[in-house]
Amino acid sequence: MQRKVVVKIGTSSITSPSGAVDREVIEGLVGQVVQLRSAGIETVIVTSGAITAGLPAMGLDPDQRPGDVVTLQAVSAVGQIQLMNRWSEAFAHHDLVVGQVLLSPLDFTLRRQYVHARSTLARMLELGVVPVANENDTLADDEIRYGDNDRLAALIAHVIDAELLVLLTDTPGVLTADPRVDSTASLIEEVGQADADLEAAIGGAGSVRGSGGMGSKLAAARMAAWSGVRAVIAAAGRPDVLAEAVEGTSGVGTQVAPRSAVVPARKLWIAFAAPPVGRIRIDPGAVEAIVDGKRSLLPAGVVEVLAPWSLDEAIEVFDQNHQLVAKGLARMDSETLETIRGVSLAERPPGSSSSLIHRDDLVVLDT
């Protein structure tokens, strides 16, 4: 099987404070991609920076990013051209052709779209094209979009059966503290797949220009690990960072090892990308049913509604010790749940769902 790597580079690494796309950074990364290709490793690039690149092109101040979605979408449409021109020019110097790939959440959550995205990316690689992907900011619905390209990169790694996901940023990786306030901060070379406390501690956007931050990179690395892909979070400016990430060189960055059990792309999205809205607590019998029995979560197992939700929104499921057990998409809203708890299926209104979260929409978080 052909070896494949997905490389994601963030906005703060690829653009200057003025919003201009940094040609030197792109050319340096392209040179490393060319080296990987010469070693028989195909590469997909996931690039951020379209909105930031579009601001100066439209005469807008990069430090005063618009807050409304429609304006941001318009800016993205302009900036995406600036961004792709830079990638195309840099690869053309090596006689390589790039192809733009704009993706949305539906391309991974709907089976038909998932298969289509997989086939298109595979064919591009077969033809020798370097896919350069970005979230489709121009048309994405703000309520269902990823919000950053880190998770998008993890899903692409899953789609193309990559062996490695490299998340390039402006720090050496995950650090023990913020180096801007703690001079003793050091690199964490390996992170477990279940370090939720660490994610919470480092969460938040990393810069005005970026939308992801280290928290989303760690979540994306764990997401990749759940799909059997090794992940490395490393500095974009580190010399030969891609070759060292492929080799697993010590100190290259923060590494997250892949899991042996792989979950489907839809469940990856539910677990890591769908924003949680509702929260419930369930009884021990329900915990056993969904964890050991791999069954759907029924309304009868709910002990308490901790936060309300609407139909199809994501719910976090806690046990009676308030430990997070699972996450899933609701087949009824919280108000409906309250009216049918304790009511037999035969007594419920016609057409009502028998499960609160169907097993196909439920991810057990064995953290």
Side-chain angles (χ1 to χ4, degrees):
M1 179 183 294
Q2 184 74 41
R3 300 175 70 189
K4 302 182 186 73
V5 172
V6 174
V7 178
K8 185 267 178 180
I9 186 164
T11 299
S12 60
S13 298
I14 207 173
T15 60
S16 67
S18 68
V21 179
D22 194 321
R23 293 174 182 266
E24 186 176 343
V25 170
I26 287 183
E27 289 170 359
L29 187 59
V30 165
Q32 293 187 57
V33 171
V34 171
Q35 290 180 347
L36 291 187
R37 286 173 63 93
S38 66
I41 302 173
E42 296 175 336
T43 306
V44 175
I45 293 173
V46 178
T47 180
S48 296
I51 291 176
T52 299
L55 292 171
M58 297 178 66
L60 301 174
D61 187 347
D63 292 328
Q64 296 181 352
R65 181 182 172 116
D68 66 290
V69 174
V70 176
T71 300
L72 288 174
Q73 290 174 328
V75 171
S76 174
V78 174
Q80 186 66 26
I81 296 174
Q82 311 293 321
L83 196 58
M84 287 304 301
N85 280 342
R86 299 296 176 265
W87 285 110
S88 182
E89 290 168 359
F91 274 108
H93 292 154
H94 299 274
D95 297 321
L96 290 172
V97 176
V98 303
Q100 177 178 257
V101 182
L102 297 177
L103 296 164
S104 72
L106 293 180
D107 296 316
F108 298 96
T109 58
L110 298 179
R111 178 64 183 172
R112 181 177 178 182
Q113 291 295 100
Y114 170 85
V115 172
H116 185 65
R118 182 185 183 99
S119 299
T120 300
L121 286 166
R123 187 56 178 153
M124 291 174 74
L125 293 172
E126 289 172 0
L127 293 171
V129 175
V130 180
V132 178
N134 196 352
E135 184 178 14
N136 191 356
D137 290 318
T138 303
L139 298 178
D141 185 329
D142 188 55
E143 294 185 356
I144 63 172
R145 66 193 299 270
Y146 294 116
D148 64 73
N149 277 320
D150 298 315
R151 293 174 177 84
L152 178 64
L155 286 168
I156 290 175
H158 174 92
V159 165
I160 69 168
D161 295 322
E163 70 174 51
L164 174 67
L165 168 65
V166 184
L167 299 166
L168 297 177
T169 183
D170 50 7
T171 67
V174 181
L175 304 176
T176 55
D178 187 339
R180 294 171 294 187
V181 297
D182 187 346
S183 61
T184 65
S186 59
L187 177 68
I188 302 174
E189 293 195 23
E190 293 185 16
V191 172
Q193 299 157 11
D195 203 336
D197 291 339
L198 179 60
E199 270 189 60
I202 64 175
S207 70
V208 173
R209 289 179 286 143
S211 64
M214 191 56 72
S216 72
K217 288 172 180 58
L218 185 55
R222 290 181 59 209
M223 195 172 178
W226 275 53
S227 61
V229 179
R230 181 169 65 91
V232 176
I233 303 170
R238 181 185 175 97
D240 299 319
V241 63
L242 297 188
E244 290 188 350
V246 169
E247 294 298 324
T249 303
S250 177
V252 64
T254 300
Q255 305 199 42
V256 180
R259 285 165 40 111
S260 56
V262 176
V263 301
R266 175 176 171 77
K267 290 201 173 185
L268 285 177
W269 178 78
I270 292 172
F272 296 100
V277 177
R279 297 169 66 241
I280 58 174
R281 195 159 54 90
I282 62 176
D283 62 36
V287 172
E288 182 179 359
I290 65 173
V291 175
D292 299 328
K294 304 186 186 307
R295 297 199 292 270
S296 301
L297 177 60
L298 304 180
V302 178
V303 173
E304 181 182 6
V305 172
L306 303 172
W309 66 87
S310 299
L311 179 68
D312 293 329
E313 288 185 323
I315 306 174
E316 290 182 322
V317 181
F318 295 82
D319 65 16
Q320 290 195 291
N321 295 320
H322 298 281
Q323 295 296 310
L324 183 62
V325 175
K327 184 179 174 185
L329 302 180
R331 296 209 168 183
M332 64 183 71
D333 58 41
S334 53
E335 289 186 5
T336 301
L337 172 68
E338 294 286 21
T339 62
I340 67 172
R341 274 202 295 164
V343 178
S344 68
L345 186 59
E347 297 175 312
R348 293 179 195 171
S352 61
S353 175
S354 61
S355 60
L356 171 57
I357 306 176
H358 191 274
R359 63 183 181 183
D360 292 342
D361 298 329
L362 180 68
V363 185
V364 174
L365 303 173
D366 52 347
T367 60

